[in-house]
Amino acid sequence: MQDILFDFISKYISLTEDEKNAILSLDLFRSVKKGVTLLKEGQKSQDCYFVLKGCIRKYYIIDGEEKTTAFYTEMEALTPHCVINKAPSEYFISCVEDSILAVSNSDMEVEINSKFPKFEIMCRILSEELLAKQQINFDEFKTSSPEQRYQNLLENRPDLIQRVPQQQIASYLGIKPQSLSRLRARILEKKS
Amino acid sequence: MQDILFDFISKYISLTEDEKNAILSLDLFRSVKKGVTLLKEGQKSQDCYFVLKGCIRKYYIIDGEEKTTAFYTEMEALTPHCVINKAPSEYFISCVEDSILAVSNSDMEVEINSKFPKFEIMCRILSEELLAKQQINFDEFKTSSPEQRYQNLLENRPDLIQRVPQQQIASYLGIKPQSLSRLRARILEKKS
DNA sequence: CGTATTTCTTAACTTAAGTGAACGAGTTAA
DNA sequence: TTAACTCGTTCACTTAAGTTAAGAAATACG
């Protein structure tokens, strides 16, 4: 399981055995059951998440309704906004499947960063990379219809549609579950 | 005009007179007329833009239709995706108003970064900050209707609605110009 | 194993956005 | 000054998503 984390890190920087051991000694790994809420609206938290196995999601509750805006699966990292701006969180984070996560908090990161300056370089590259990805994603979302978004999802993250309940997929696409059902039926009809 | 740039930078790092002069000697400032296209789909470019005065926009052409996905106004910076991944651009960038921009290319940045390591720190903070903003923006877009998006825009960037043609605003909100007209009429009716 | 509960689908109806066309106001150019 | 063009609005019509409700399918749990 640790290998997944080190594989990920090695895409950005190379680690010595000493450095690997220092990371392992932080005891980052957490096993989390499906349905568990990791962060609630209004909470202040310092925890960042890296998904080793499973899936977590970010959602808002607006007028009593859950609005899912992101899923994070294997090899994806989530730094909640409340960690950055030190304000109460505007959203929830919860576990879609039984998952294994690497959970780090600010203190640990300060410690690691001061011991291994390499780490800061990785963070910079990572956040630049994420920013670029995020922008393309946003543009794609803006320039397409719900139906196109669903087709895109089918192409780019087909696993999600299997792993995640439809209602969460629907809200991720910006529509209601009933509309997703209908839209799926429409697509099937077109194919035949 | 330089003051705007230095004001911006001073939010992140402090510069000595020498450093300021080094930046000025790069001769970054460009005056660009309304309507000029700075980047075209398919082009490879190394140029990044910082708006000192005016407004530029990013848009795609999809099925012959312009789809505007972002506006950049005073004190906002745009690093095109093609600069990061060194691939041809998927979108256009053009000038909405007569504008004054600071235009930097990769070579200059390498030069500045090597002379003043401070600069790299600024870039890291900036991209982290942008990433956070971008995520909140994306979430807001996803969780709201065209009408709510328009109301949001009225609150958060009222100037844009004055400065930018309706059709570009409409496409930025993810709808057609006719729908924006209708939506505006609907809102006026509600108020009365 | 069967019951309860949640999740997904279907349907009928409402509302809002897309489409195509026409119109008037404002701008540009001959 | 007039003709051509652009831009925003309006209208009638179509299409897709929201809403409410009911029923089927899948899942969880005692």
Side-chain angles (χ1 to χ4, degrees):
Chain A
M1 195 49 61
Q2 302 135 9
D3 295 340
I4 298 177
L5 180 58
F6 291 137
D7 278 359
F8 178 80
I9 294 175
S10 74
K11 290 199 294 179
Y12 302 97
I13 54 177
S14 56
L15 295 178
T16 65
E17 283 305 313
D18 274 0
E19 289 163 341
K20 285 187 183 178
N21 287 330
I23 290 170
L24 289 179
S25 74
L26 290 171
D27 186 33
L28 299 171
F29 303 108
R30 298 272 176 280
S31 181
V32 187
K33 283 276 166 200
K34 175 175 173 176
V36 170
T37 302
L38 299 164
L39 175 68
K40 287 188 182 150
E41 185 188 348
Q43 277 187 345
K44 290 184 185 182
S45 160
Q46 294 299 321
D47 290 350
C48 297
Y49 306 96
F50 177 80
V51 180
L52 294 151
K53 183 157 177 26
C55 179
I56 60 180
R57 66 187 251 263
K58 165 170 132 185
Y59 63 99
Y60 293 74
I61 293 189
I62 297 174
D63 299 330
E65 244 185 321
E66 281 188 14
K67 304 257 189 179
T68 299
T69 58
F71 295 103
Y72 300 83
T73 54
E74 285 78 13
M75 300 278 273
E76 292 184 329
L78 165 52
T79 300
H81 197 241
C82 64
V83 173
I84 295 164
N85 67 4
K86 285 161 196 220
S89 177
E90 304 105 66
Y91 50 76
F92 297 76
I93 297 170
S94 83
C95 218
V96 173
E97 303 173 332
D98 291 354
S99 304
I100 301 171
L101 310 175
V103 183
S104 71
N105 67 37
S106 285
D107 300 338
M108 289 175 184
E109 275 171 33
V110 169
E111 191 188 324
I112 281 278
N113 277 331
S114 66
K115 269 193 200 155
F116 310 114
K118 270 186 209 173
F119 240 76
E120 191 140 354
I121 294 174
M122 182 178 83
C123 289
R124 199 208 65 226
I125 300 174
L126 233 164
S127 76
E128 279 172 6
E129 205 181 89
L130 276 177
L131 180 60
K133 243 191 231 164
Q134 184 85 5
Q135 261 167 2
I136 294 295
N137 250 312
F138 195 0
D139 288 351
E140 255 182 20
F141 190 92
K142 270 194 179 174
T143 58
S144 57
S145 66
E147 189 170 327
Q148 289 172 312
R149 280 175 219 150
Y150 179 73
Q151 303 268 27
N152 275 346
L153 200 64
L154 267 178
E155 283 200 8
N156 303 326
R157 302 183 72 179
D159 57 306
L160 266 192
I161 290 163
Q162 302 307 318
R163 305 166 76 165
V164 173
Q166 299 278 336
Q167 24 171 338
Q168 289 171 23
I169 298 279
S171 126
Y172 181 66
L173 297 172
I175 57 176
K176 304 281 155 182
Q178 297 92 318
S179 299
L180 177 55
S181 270
R182 185 166 36 194
L183 180 158
R184 279 154 59 94
R186 206 162 59 219
I187 290 172
L188 278 176
E189 220 176 299
K190 278 185 198 163
K191 277 190 190 163
S192 63
Chain B
M1 197 47 61
Q2 302 134 11
D3 295 339
I4 298 177
L5 181 58
F6 291 136
D7 278 358
F8 178 80
I9 294 174
S10 73
K11 290 199 294 180
Y12 302 96
I13 55 178
S14 56
L15 294 178
T16 65
E17 283 305 313
D18 274 1
E19 288 163 342
K20 285 187 183 179
N21 287 329
I23 290 169
L24 288 178
S25 74
L26 290 171
D27 187 31
L28 299 171
F29 304 108
R30 298 272 175 279
S31 181
V32 187
K33 282 276 165 199
K34 174 176 173 175
V36 170
T37 301
L38 299 164
L39 174 69
K40 286 187 183 153
E41 185 188 348
Q43 276 187 346
K44 289 184 186 183
S45 160
Q46 293 300 321
D47 289 350
C48 297
Y49 307 95
F50 177 79
V51 180
L52 293 151
K53 185 156 178 22
C55 178
I56 61 180
R57 66 187 251 262
K58 165 169 132 184
Y59 63 99
Y60 294 74
I61 293 187
I62 297 174
D63 299 329
E65 244 185 321
E66 282 189 13
K67 305 256 189 179
T68 299
T69 59
F71 296 103
Y72 300 84
T73 55
E74 284 79 11
M75 299 278 271
E76 292 183 328
L78 165 52
T79 301
H81 197 241
C82 64
V83 174
I84 295 164
N85 67 2
K86 283 156 196 221
S89 177
E90 304 103 67
Y91 49 77
F92 297 76
I93 297 171
S94 84
C95 219
V96 173
E97 303 173 331
D98 291 354
S99 303
I100 301 172
L101 310 175
V103 183
S104 70
N105 67 38
S106 285
D107 300 339
M108 289 174 185
E109 274 171 34
V110 169
E111 192 187 324
I112 281 279
N113 277 332
S114 67
K115 269 193 201 155
F116 311 114
K118 270 186 210 173
F119 239 76
E120 192 140 353
I121 294 173
M122 182 178 84
C123 290
R124 200 209 64 225
I125 300 174
L126 233 165
S127 76
E128 279 171 7
E129 205 182 271
L130 277 178
L131 180 60
K133 242 191 233 165
Q134 184 85 5
Q135 262 166 1
I136 294 295
N137 249 310
F138 195 179
D139 288 352
E140 253 181 22
F141 190 93
K142 271 195 179 172
T143 58
S144 58
S145 66
E147 190 171 326
Q148 288 172 314
R149 279 175 219 150
Y150 179 73
Q151 302 268 27
N152 275 345
L153 199 64
L154 267 178
E155 282 199 10
N156 302 326
R157 303 183 70 178
D159 58 305
L160 266 193
I161 291 163
Q162 302 305 320
R163 305 166 77 166
V164 173
Q166 299 279 335
Q167 25 171 338
Q168 289 171 24
I169 297 280
S171 126
Y172 180 66
L173 297 172
I175 58 177
K176 304 282 154 180
Q178 295 95 317
S179 299
L180 177 55
S181 269
R182 185 166 37 194
L183 180 158
R184 279 154 59 94
R186 206 161 59 218
I187 290 173
L188 279 176
E189 220 176 298
K190 279 185 199 164
K191 277 191 188 160
S192 63

